[in-house]
Amino acid sequence: MTQRNNRHSDRQQKLKETVDNKIAQAQTVKGLLLVITGNGKGKSTSGFGTVARAVGHGLKCAVAQFIKGNWDCGERNLLEQHNVEFQIMNTGFTWETQNKETDTAAALRIWQECRRMLQDPTIDLVLLDEITYMVSYNYIPLEEVITALENRPKMQSVVITGRAAHRALIELADTVSEVKNVKHAFDSGVKVLKGIDW
Ligand code: ATP
Ligand code: MG
């Protein structure tokens, strides 16, 4: 028993040394680019969770939502009360209407707001929710997105969400997570639920 305890504390000590070393080596201070992609549920939830976390620390946040359904949005209802700016593509692209001309115009309109956010050093965190689709559909030129992200203020962080993130966005990002779909209630005929799905 004592031998096992000793082995356990040796292992824990080694683990602690490894983690301490990593912490000591992490010296860079900069804003981060996070990409949350994949087919499972939880990408926007994660993005908004990060915004809530930042707001809780008194940081200034801004949100752009590129795809909006016909429902109101719990995150917006809450976060606007905490002075989080929301820019929403409320005309144009939804899953129902897919008209290339009006969608492109709507995407570019909100993209101008994003460019402004990405140049504003007073904004600590920008959430670009579902922007991956705008790039995949060529509504917003990939090069413009990359350039704006590369030239943003040094301490500004950005979260990008959406399925099938472009390879170039993944390469540019500091942290990339892929949410895997294991199962989703919708597939067994359960309706979307207020507070859970929107
Ligand atoms: P959420 O906003 O819940 O975090 P998400 O951002 O990961 O979801 P989206 O692709 O943006 O996923 O889809 C948003 C809506 O579609 C939500 O209502 C969500 O519950 C639903 N959804 C997400 N993933 C799936 C899936 N794999 N199958 C069916 N519906 C899904
Ligand atoms: Mg989403």
Side-chain angles (χ1 to χ4, degrees), residues 94-150:
T94 68
W95 299 119
E96 289 93 39
T97 74
Q98 292 191 17
N99 175 319
K100 192 154 174 61
E101 231 166 82
T102 55
D103 289 349
T104 306
L108 289 175
R109 218 167 18 246
I110 179 171
W111 173 239
Q112 295 317 309
E113 302 295 340
C114 297
R115 285 175 55 166
R116 180 205 14 102
M117 292 170 181
L118 294 169
Q119 288 171 4
D120 182 348
T122 71
I123 300 179
D124 300 293
L125 174 66
V126 179
L127 169 60
L128 303 174
D129 191 37
E130 324 292 356
I131 196 174
T132 59
Y133 304 99
M134 302 300 109
V135 172
S136 321
Y137 280 67
N138 290 318
Y139 290 172
I140 304 173
L142 172 68
E143 301 69 37
E144 273 197 33
V145 177
I146 298 287
T147 304
L149 289 170
E150 280 176 339

Side-chain angles (χ1 to χ4, degrees), residues 9-197:
S9 68
D10 282 355
R11 264 203 310 271
Q12 290 305 107
Q13 180 58 31
K14 284 212 181 87
L15 182 64
K16 182 175 157 26
E17 279 166 21
T18 311
V19 174
D20 284 351
N21 271 340
K22 274 196 182 153
I23 293 171
Q25 273 165 28
Q27 296 292 343
T28 311
V29 181
K30 62 166 194 169
L32 297 174
L33 174 60
L34 294 89
V35 172
I36 317 288
T37 190
N39 294 331
K41 171 175 162 59
K43 300 175 290 295
S44 297
T45 319
S46 168
F48 282 109
T50 310
V51 173
R53 184 177 276 178
V55 167
H57 285 294
L59 300 180
K60 187 173 171 189
C61 302
V63 174
Q65 284 183 296
F66 282 92
I67 297 180
K68 191 184 179 293
N70 294 321
W71 49 74
D72 70 338
C73 162
E75 301 89 314
R76 182 184 179 196
N77 296 346
L78 176 74
L79 292 168
E80 275 188 340
Q81 294 173 30
H82 293 269
N83 300 317
V84 176
E85 174 189 351
F86 272 70
Q87 294 292 338
I88 295 161
M89 199 168 124
N90 51 8
T91 54
F93 195 101
T94 68
W95 299 119
E96 289 93 39
T97 74
Q98 292 191 17
N99 175 319
K100 192 154 174 61
E101 231 166 82
T102 55
D103 289 349
T104 306
L108 289 175
R109 218 167 18 246
I110 179 171
W111 173 239
Q112 295 317 309
E113 302 295 340
C114 297
R115 285 175 55 166
R116 180 205 14 102
M117 292 170 181
L118 294 169
Q119 288 171 4
D120 182 348
T122 71
I123 300 179
D124 300 293
L125 174 66
V126 179
L127 169 60
L128 303 174
D129 191 37
E130 324 292 356
I131 196 174
T132 59
Y133 304 99
M134 302 300 109
V135 172
S136 321
Y137 280 67
N138 290 318
Y139 290 172
I140 304 173
L142 172 68
E143 301 69 37
E144 273 197 33
V145 177
I146 298 287
T147 304
L149 289 170
E150 280 176 339
N151 294 323
R152 74 188 195 277
K154 182 171 180 274
M155 288 311 297
Q156 187 183 74
S157 292
V158 177
V159 182
I160 285 177
T161 78
R163 294 178 191 206
H166 194 284
R167 199 167 15 93
L169 291 172
I170 287 176
E171 270 165 29
L172 187 63
D174 300 287
T175 297
V176 180
S177 296
E178 186 168 343
V179 184
K180 183 180 155 202
N181 182 41
V182 177
K183 62 158 95 167
H184 194 288
F186 186 69
D187 297 329
S188 9
V190 183
K191 277 192 172 199
V192 291
L193 193 62
K194 180 161 80 177
I196 299 292
D197 290 304

